[in-house]
Amino acid sequence: MKVRTRMAPSPTGDMHVGSLAITLKNYAFAKRHHGQFILRIEDTDKIREVNDGIEAIQRILKQYSLDWDEGPGVGGKFEPYIQSQRLAIYQEKAEELIAKGKAYHCFCSKERLQEVKEKQQVEKTAPKYDGFCRNLSTKEVKKKLDQKQESVIRLKVPENTKIRFNDLIRGEIVVNSDTVNDQVLMKSDGYPTYHLAVVVDDHLMEITHIMRGEEWISSTPKHILLYEAFGWELPIFAHIPIFLNPDGKGKMSKRKGTVSAQSFLDQGYLPDALLNFLMILGWARPDNVEIMNMKEYIDRFDPADISSKSVVFDLKKLDWINGIYIRKLEPAKLKQKIEKFLPNDFPEDKLDSILFLIRERLEKLSDVEELTSFFYRDIQLNAQRLKLLLNKSSSEKVIMQLQKTILELSTINSWITANIENALRKLQENKEWKKNQYFMMIRVAVTGKKATPPLFETIEIIGKKLTLDRLNQAIKFLSN
Ligand code: GLU
């Protein structure tokens, strides 16, 4: 079977990471079956469209290397792929439906529709168009059209029939048509609504599988009616569960943190790492291996195996995966990628050696400042640090340890890790100081932190002068 999937974003703002995940699935499934992945821009809602929205969609997909086989910039057999350039097609299709008795012109004014709505609110019935224009005669319609009365075209939803469709993830779904509104298909400004445009284009573009967010599942019955009204074959539907916020509560939303596909890049997540994370959110490989590249994913991904439950967007897991991908980078690549996250006062001459040391601990590229600032900025000792410095010893003892350490380190001529390590270990052993206490104390005195990269390497990079200054600073701090 030839497989054609599509992503049909609207240019209404930054792409949500959930949409990126859906794009990934459409992309991978098409690739798996040697089919085509189509990008179509659904820009029929001019009020919600943002400036640069169409370009932004293409830019972000390119950043994640999710290239489309047909669509804007690429072209294809079913050009154009931007809905606002296809208005004549929708008009023609809407008229075809009218001719078949499956749609009708509606001349109701905003005021009348508002009255209907208010009445329904009072009567506590479901908000629905009341069918006022459903049965206007052809003559009446013609007269109104000739008088240039403003109108929309509505779907003539059949009464009390069962609408059925199969969802690849949720199984059979049955809805009574009485719950479905006589949806507007064409607006008075000549633009189609989403419902008409999506069905017409998915059909004309020969889309075989529609994988989209589950928020669209309530629209699908309307779409089924349209397919039936046109006499078109149904595609296969898969409605993909939404992501929940990292705290497990509610649909993943801006209010609770980062949601746009771009903002993850801005925070220093690598595109491949984020994609890998999205692969395993709500889907697992049969062998449960979690780290995989695109090819391995493509070889295995089947939308029928997507979990029907909403999944928590687990940032800890994402960080873990990103760390793995960071460590996979060649040093030169890492250097190049981290460049834009380096603070202005970062000592460029030490970049290689510092990166080498912190590599193991980097989870996001933007962690770099937090992980390295003690190499090049003053450190502050405070009450919290005092506890770590003392670690149950007396301040007299710790001051004495610091003084002896300063003496010992001062004698080192060649300031390299091996010599530093040797000197400090010998001192600790000779004095029979407790290893944990002593080295933690030195670590905190020299870096101001409890957790750092390996201590002796770190001291080498900090340099002799600064190390000795900091040890002296700790003595002063403890003496006060
Ligand atoms: N234009 C819709 C959106 O912005 C597409 C929904 C669909 O995939 O059918 O998400």
Side-chain angles (χ1 to χ4, degrees):
M1 174 187 188
K2 84 175 173 164
V3 167
R4 287 174 59 86
T5 62
R6 51 64 161 186
M7 187 62 193
S10 298
T12 50
D14 286 343
M15 184 179 281
H16 192 286
V17 70
S19 298
L20 185 70
I22 291 169
T23 309
L24 167 68
K25 291 171 176 65
N26 279 290
Y27 172 88
F29 189 63
K31 297 286 158 205
R32 178 168 185 190
H33 295 279
H34 309 288
Q36 281 91 40
F37 167 61
I38 288 102
L39 175 64
R40 182 176 71 232
I41 305 292
E42 302 208 324
D43 61 339
T44 56
D45 186 346
K46 289 292 163 195
I47 296 167
R48 289 182 57 225
E49 182 165 345
V50 298
N51 232 345
D52 191 46
I54 298 181
E55 292 72 26
I57 289 168
Q58 300 176 64
R59 273 199 305 274
I60 192 72
L61 293 184
K62 285 202 177 120
Q63 291 206 68
Y64 283 95
S65 305
L66 296 171
D67 296 319
W68 47 102
D69 303 303
E70 293 170 28
V74 184
K77 217 165 116 189
F78 302 103
E79 271 180 314
Y81 292 88
I82 297 181
Q83 287 188 329
S84 60
Q85 297 170 12
R86 302 170 59 79
L87 299 183
I89 301 176
Y90 311 121
Q91 187 67 45
E92 184 198 313
K93 290 295 170 196
E95 273 155 24
E96 187 182 321
L97 288 180
I98 293 180
K100 287 180 159 178
K102 306 285 187 182
Y104 60 93
H105 281 282
C106 167
F107 299 90
C108 290
S109 64
K110 275 204 188 76
E111 293 71 31
R112 177 170 190 279
L113 294 175
Q114 184 60 28
E115 273 167 31
V116 171
K117 198 167 146 192
E118 280 163 17
K119 194 162 159 249
Q120 286 166 342
Q121 272 165 358
V122 174
E123 289 169 358
K124 295 205 164 60
T125 52
K128 246 178 103 174
Y129 178 62
D130 63 353
F132 189 76
C133 295
R134 240 177 110 110
N135 298 311
L136 293 179
S137 70
T138 324
K139 228 168 117 191
E140 277 171 296
V141 171
K142 188 174 177 312
K143 193 170 142 209
K144 287 176 187 286
L145 287 177
D146 288 345
Q147 289 167 349
K148 301 255 175 302
Q149 279 194 34
E150 216 173 69
S151 71
V152 300
I153 296 175
R154 287 183 185 273
L155 177 65
K156 198 171 211 169
V157 174
E159 278 166 41
N160 192 22
T161 51
K162 290 209 164 88
I163 308 169
R164 293 170 193 278
F165 67 98
N166 252 308
D167 185 275
L168 216 48
I169 300 174
R170 282 147 217 276
E172 191 182 44
I173 294 175
V174 185
V175 174
N176 189 297
S177 64
D178 286 349
T179 63
V180 179
N181 198 8
D182 276 5
Q183 189 65 51
V184 173
L185 302 176
M186 283 301 278
K187 297 179 267 186
S188 56
D189 60 1
Y191 273 79
T193 57
Y194 157 67
H195 304 288
L196 177 67
V198 78
V199 169
V200 167
D201 285 346
D202 283 337
H203 172 75
L204 294 180
M205 295 178 183
E206 299 178 0
I207 303 301
T208 57
H209 293 73
I210 295 182
M211 283 184 257
R212 62 181 166 207
E214 69 179 351
E215 66 270 32
W216 300 104
I217 204 162
S218 59
S219 299
T220 307
K222 295 170 193 166
H223 302 176
I224 304 293
L225 289 176
L226 281 167
Y227 280 98
E228 286 171 355
F230 281 116
W232 293 338
E233 198 187 324
L234 288 185
I236 292 168
F237 289 95
H239 288 91
I240 301 177
I242 51 155
F243 295 151
L244 301 175
N245 280 307
D247 65 5
K249 292 185 198 131
K251 182 175 163 199
M252 193 175 174
S253 73
K254 241 192 212 158
R255 272 184 307 115
K256 292 239 177 138
T258 291
V259 294
S260 79
Q262 178 62 47
S263 63
F264 285 92
L265 300 177
D266 296 342
Q267 282 182 37
Y269 290 101
L270 301 175
D272 289 348
L274 184 72
L275 288 178
N276 189 155
F277 171 68
L278 296 178
M279 289 170 193
I280 59 168
L281 261 193
W283 175 86
R285 242 166 90 151
D287 58 7
N288 282 320
V289 170
E290 297 191 306
I291 303 300
M292 70 194 110
N293 61 28
M294 187 61 89
K295 174 157 190 331
E296 293 168 298
Y297 177 60
I298 288 172
D299 288 346
R300 292 166 180 82
F301 173 66
D302 184 346
D305 296 333
I306 295 174
S307 154
S308 60
K309 293 200 194 73
S310 302
V311 271
V312 174
F313 198 89
D314 180 353
L315 281 175
K316 282 214 182 74
K317 184 132 208 182
L318 172 58
D319 286 352
W320 172 71
I321 293 179
N322 203 49
I324 293 175
Y325 276 77
I326 286 178
R327 284 185 282 289
K328 278 198 212 173
L329 292 174
E330 296 286 329
K333 253 261 125 63
L334 173 59
K335 218 167 123 173
Q336 178 208 335
K337 289 195 182 284
I338 213 160
E339 192 64 39
K340 71 169 193 260
F341 295 93
L342 296 177
N344 289 336
D345 53 348
F346 193 98
E348 289 278 341
D349 56 323
K350 292 185 178 172
L351 181 56
D352 288 320
S353 43
I354 292 181
L355 275 190
F356 180 76
L357 276 196
I358 63 159
R359 229 179 134 82
E360 283 302 314
R361 309 186 59 229
L362 264 181
E363 289 197 315
K364 304 193 277 296
L365 298 177
S366 59
D367 293 342
V368 64
E369 181 168 357
E370 162 71 19
L371 287 178
T372 63
S373 64
F374 66 83
F375 282 110
Y376 47 90
R377 270 183 216 155
D378 288 345
I379 58 169
Q380 298 301 328
L381 297 174
N382 53 26
Q384 214 186 0
R385 298 281 171 266
L386 178 65
K387 232 163 114 195
L388 288 170
L389 277 177
L390 292 179
N391 195 5
K392 294 192 191 111
S393 289
S394 66
S395 51
E396 289 75 27
K397 178 162 180 208
V398 173
I399 290 174
M400 183 266 290
Q401 288 178 324
L402 282 162
Q403 283 163 340
K404 297 243 181 301
T405 306
I406 293 172
L407 276 181
E408 201 57 44
L409 291 179
S410 308
T411 64
I412 297 180
N413 287 325
S414 166
W415 190 259
I416 56 167
T417 300
N419 293 345
I420 298 163
E421 172 162 12
N422 200 14
L424 295 184
R425 285 205 193 281
K426 256 199 356 235
L427 181 64
Q428 175 261 321
E429 276 161 26
N430 289 342
K431 301 287 180 195
E432 295 181 9
W433 292 331
K434 275 200 210 108
K435 222 176 175 167
N436 288 349
Q437 177 270 326
Y438 176 65
F439 287 112
M440 176 54 85
M441 184 276 287
I442 294 295
R443 186 185 302 275
V444 174
V446 175
T447 68
K449 285 183 180 274
K450 188 175 163 184
T452 66
L455 182 62
F456 309 115
E457 282 87 345
T458 299
I459 294 179
E460 178 190 325
I461 295 178
I462 289 176
K464 185 169 177 175
K465 178 167 181 311
L466 194 53
T467 302
L468 295 178
D469 285 352
R470 286 183 180 175
L471 294 174
N472 275 311
Q473 183 192 343
I475 292 177
K476 254 207 210 131
F477 176 71
L478 290 171
S479 315
N480 282 329

